[in-house]
Amino acid sequence: CDEDMTSSGSNAESVNPVLRISQLDALELNKALEQLVWSQFSSCFHGFKPGLLAHIEPEVKAFLWLFLWRFTIYSKNATVGQTILNIQYKNDLSQTQKYQPLSKHQKLWYLICTVGGRWLEERCYDLFSSRQLDSFFRAKHFINFVAGLLKLCGLLNFLIFLQKGKFATFTERILGIRSVFCRPQNVRQIGFEYMNRELLWHGFAEFLIYLLPLINMQKLKLKISSWSLPIAVFSNSENTLAAHCKECS
């Protein structure tokens, strides 16, 4: 993938930009993977004492995310969701148009901003709870202010992303890392055959639901029975005729 990006990085960047929906899908896949990993890991401790992981849950999560970072961003310059969607991070701070992988500083700062930031968010109140009451309240207000400011920056970055199509997260914009395709993408061709079949079937089903209550099915059934079993086919024998006439219509 790195060789393909080196040879056709400028082409992939200018002719085949990464779609906004692809970048958002990669973020959702990353979140789904993290939830799956944590659920599988926590299920291993169901047989132990309840609340065993409650005290060290932020540290355990940080260790798992560090493990994922080591074998995704650090080694492949792409998350799991980006790898599935044929996307890779590019060092956007470089002046050349060719593909440049992330530098070690960018990878480390990415680790600090993502893994370290989430760990600090979960542990910040516990770190200051042992201090004096006044200092704890000051630290709490400061942390709330910083968290609100980061959320506001994330919202502004998302609005800019919807307009420009670059840097889906605030961390990517700060570090100057951009999502690009590993290989040039072909023109997407959408087939509507399945959709047409579904629309036709649903329309036909709705038509039958509307039409069937208007038809006297019992009368129609008797009419068809009279055509398929005429009286002339029976024998002229009185016993046979009487036997058939005893049956309820």
Side-chain angles (χ1 to χ4, degrees), residues 130-142:
S130 59
R131 305 292 182 86
Q132 296 179 359
L133 189 62
D134 295 335
S135 61
F136 172 72
F137 279 114
R138 286 197 299 268
K140 182 179 180 180
H141 290 306
F142 177 75

Side-chain angles (χ1 to χ4, degrees), residues 199-210:
L199 290 175
L200 289 175
W201 170 248
H202 284 294
F204 180 69
E206 291 178 359
F207 174 73
L208 290 180
I209 292 173
Y210 174 78

Side-chain angles (χ1 to χ4, degrees), residues 42 65 86 90 95 102 112 125 156 168 228:
S42 59
W65 309 156
N86 189 31
K90 172 186 179 294
Q95 300 298 328
L102 302 183
I112 294 173
Y125 294 113
L156 295 177
S228 60

Side-chain angles (χ1 to χ4, degrees), residues 184-196:
Q185 299 293 292
N186 297 325
V187 179
R188 295 194 304 169
Q189 296 180 355
I190 303 175
F192 296 95
E193 292 81 5
Y194 177 77
M195 187 180 299
N196 292 335

Side-chain angles (χ1 to χ4, degrees), residues 114-170:
T114 55
V115 180
R118 281 185 287 183
W119 174 83
L120 183 61
E121 182 180 2
E122 296 179 0
R123 274 297 185 197
C124 58
Y125 294 113
D126 295 335
L127 294 175
F128 294 99
S129 61
S130 59
R131 305 292 182 86
Q132 296 179 359
L133 189 62
D134 295 335
S135 61
F136 172 72
F137 279 114
R138 286 197 299 268
K140 182 179 180 180
H141 290 306
F142 177 75
I143 292 171
N144 291 334
F145 174 77
V146 173
L149 183 62
L150 290 176
K151 290 181 180 179
L152 179 60
C153 294
L155 176 60
L156 295 177
N157 177 79
F158 184 72
L159 295 177
I160 298 173
F161 165 73
L162 294 179
Q163 183 181 9
K164 301 293 185 179
K166 295 172 58 177
F167 308 115
T169 62
F170 186 60

